[in-house]
Every structure is written in structure tokens, then in C-alpha cells.
Amino acid sequence: MSEKTLYEIYDDIRENKQVDVENLKLAVLTYRSLLWFSNHDLEEIYKSNTENLNIKLRYTTATERYQKALKQQPKVWLGKENIPGTEEYKEQEEFCKAILNGYEKWRKDK
């Protein structure tokens, strides 16, 4: 097992590099733990603001999205454009990089 950070593991996955199975397991468990804390915080915010329609909608949407993802195969839930190595992913990455490069050029020219 390497000494890579969570972000380094994530970045390797995004770049479609080989990732050690143990690192993958630990990364998934870490993200799951972070998600639990986030969901718990969101639930607490909702419980203390049940009259706020915006908070109720956000909480309901987040809960439904989470439940839907748990019941689907990851490749289905993600879609081809979000799976490293697919043509759709490559196109999406090129598009995003073009936008970022355009923004950086705009900032330099400003």
C-alpha cells in the first residue's frame, strides 16, 4: 500500500491510471465516511429548519439522490461521461479544459 493521499488516489482514477486495490478500498471507505458526516449535518440543518421550504427541498433532493445511487450500478448512475477511459469522458475533459484555459487567458488579459 502506498502513502498516497485521498486526493492523489482520486486524481489517479480521474486520469485513468492504475490504482492499488487497497488504496481503492480505503478511498471508497473514506468517501463513504465523509458522505455520512455530510448527510448527518444536512439532516441536522433540516431538523432545525423544518419550516424553510428551500432547506426542505434540498434535503429531500439530496436524500433521494443518495438512495437512488445506492440502488444502481455505479456505471449506470455515473454515466459514460463520468467514467475515466471512455470516449465520452475524454470529450468532457477536453471541453472542461478548454473552458478553464479560456478563463485563464481572460484573467491574464484583464
Side-chain angles (χ1 to χ4, degrees):
M1 181 170 53
S2 74
E3 298 296 319
K4 289 188 174 189
T5 66
L6 180 60
Y7 183 78
E8 291 169 330
I9 296 167
Y10 167 76
D11 207 36
D12 285 349
I13 292 168
R14 285 192 63 240
E15 293 176 8
N16 204 28
K17 294 179 181 177
Q18 283 296 110
V19 179
D20 179 78
V21 172
E22 187 68 19
N23 280 338
L24 280 174
K25 288 179 183 178
L26 293 173
V28 167
L29 291 172
T30 301
Y31 274 115
R32 173 65 185 96
S33 188
L34 289 169
L35 182 60
W36 184 89
F37 285 116
S38 179
N39 285 344
H40 177 72
D41 291 346
L42 185 59
E43 184 177 4
E44 290 302 312
I45 291 169
Y46 169 66
K47 285 179 180 177
S48 65
N49 295 284
T50 56
E51 300 302 316
N52 186 315
L53 183 59
N54 186 36
I55 290 174
K56 182 177 182 176
L57 287 172
R58 285 177 175 236
Y59 174 74
T60 303
T61 301
T63 302
E64 289 171 357
R65 184 184 307 127
Y66 178 70
Q67 291 299 322
K68 184 177 179 182
L70 285 175
K71 295 174 184 174
Q72 286 186 323
Q73 295 176 351
K75 67 181 180 181
V76 173
W77 193 85
L78 286 170
K80 291 181 181 179
E81 68 277 2
N82 294 305
I83 300 174
T86 63
E87 249 345 278
E88 293 84 351
Y89 182 85
K90 291 175 189 173
E91 289 174 16
Q92 178 105 347
E93 282 291 296
E94 288 175 19
F95 179 73
C96 291
K97 285 178 184 175
I99 291 173
L100 184 58
N101 290 339
Y103 175 74
E104 287 174 354
K105 183 182 180 316
W106 176 79
R107 293 263 317 193
K108 286 179 184 175
D109 294 344
K110 195 172 178 181

